[in-house]
Amino acid sequence: MIKGKLTVIAGPMFSGKTGKLVALVDVFTRMGHKVLTVKPKLDSRYGGKNEIHSHDHRATEAIVVDGETPESIVAHILATNADKVIFDEVQFFEKDKVKKVITDLKKRGIHVVAAGLMYDFMRHPFGATPELLGLADESLELLSICQKCGSLARHSERVRGSKSQVDVGASDKYIAVCEKCHRIYH
């Protein structure tokens, strides 16, 4: 039996996570793999289409998941015969559910790539990303550039929007910042 693997890509907003996924889809497809991209319905940015969309406007087709059971998600994925499954914005999926789906896919020999934010705007662990890093066979931390001082940025700062942990947005609500410049506005 071929053992699957889990690759986790983590970083703040504007670090290129989704752009990296779009590039991986292209490379894997050219190598002859059947690739399936999955995104949460909650991510409705860029028109809420059935695609993942990077901040630099690169996109690739995706299925949208919203409330299905882990078993039905796995069945849907298996029906596509994909051998590479990519989850974007993994922090927005229900934590226990996405971990169960990913573990099941990996046991079936599928290479899973999951990308997401490690921390929310208050630097609290965000969704399944931190736990998936602990389960990962390989991981990649991406950094951005601080939009205040130009240093390497590891954090996302919310500059407008609600106070809840989840407030989907892009440059309309968030900037990337370094440790020194990061502020939490209440």
Side-chain angles (χ1 to χ4, degrees):
M1 179 178 194
I2 300 170
K3 184 177 183 233
K5 70 177 179 178
L6 171 60
T7 303
V8 177
I9 301 170
M13 292 193 65
F14 314 110
S15 61
K17 297 180 302 298
T18 302
K20 183 68 144 173
L21 297 181
V22 172
L24 285 173
V25 169
D26 183 51
V27 170
F28 289 153
T29 301
R30 281 190 279 119
M31 291 173 65
H33 292 282
K34 173 77 170 137
V35 184
L36 179 68
T37 305
V38 182
K39 79 173 209 175
K41 185 173 185 176
L42 183 63
D43 184 10
S44 59
R45 297 171 297 174
Y46 307 109
K49 300 175 186 167
N50 288 355
E51 60 187 22
I52 61 171
H53 215 284
S54 66
H55 295 299
D56 63 355
H57 308 295
R58 293 185 294 153
T60 191
E61 188 178 324
I63 64 165
V64 178
V65 172
D66 181 38
E68 296 89 345
T69 66
E71 296 77 17
S72 66
I73 295 168
V74 169
H76 183 102
I77 291 169
L78 293 176
T80 69
N81 293 317
D83 63 332
K84 305 274 187 190
V85 178
I86 295 175
F87 286 83
D88 192 24
E89 303 293 355
V90 74
Q91 76 278 355
F92 290 148
F93 289 94
E94 188 180 315
K95 185 188 332 185
D96 291 337
K97 185 184 291 187
V98 78
K99 283 173 42 185
K100 185 173 181 167
V101 169
I102 288 171
T103 301
D104 191 351
L105 293 173
K106 188 177 163 186
K107 284 180 185 172
R108 294 171 185 268
I110 295 172
H111 178 189
V112 179
V113 180
L117 297 170
M118 277 280 292
Y119 306 106
D120 65 13
F121 73 104
M122 294 181 65
R123 296 191 199 170
H124 296 146
F126 200 177
T129 312
E131 291 181 34
L132 289 172
L133 272 169
L135 301 172
D137 298 288
E138 53 191 24
S139 63
L140 176 63
E141 181 182 7
L142 299 178
L143 300 176
S144 189
I145 301 298
C146 179
Q147 292 175 257
K148 293 182 179 179
C149 76
S151 298
L152 288 177
R154 180 170 270 128
H155 303 288
S156 303
E157 182 176 298
R158 185 179 293 163
V159 293
R160 66 187 59 81
S162 75
K163 292 179 181 165
S164 67
Q165 184 180 46
V166 176
D167 189 0
V168 178
S171 59
D172 59 326
K173 296 181 183 179
Y174 296 93
I175 60 173
V177 293
C178 68
E179 181 82 20
K180 182 180 77 149
C181 293
H182 185 259
R183 301 287 177 268
I184 299 171
Y185 303 100
H186 286 283

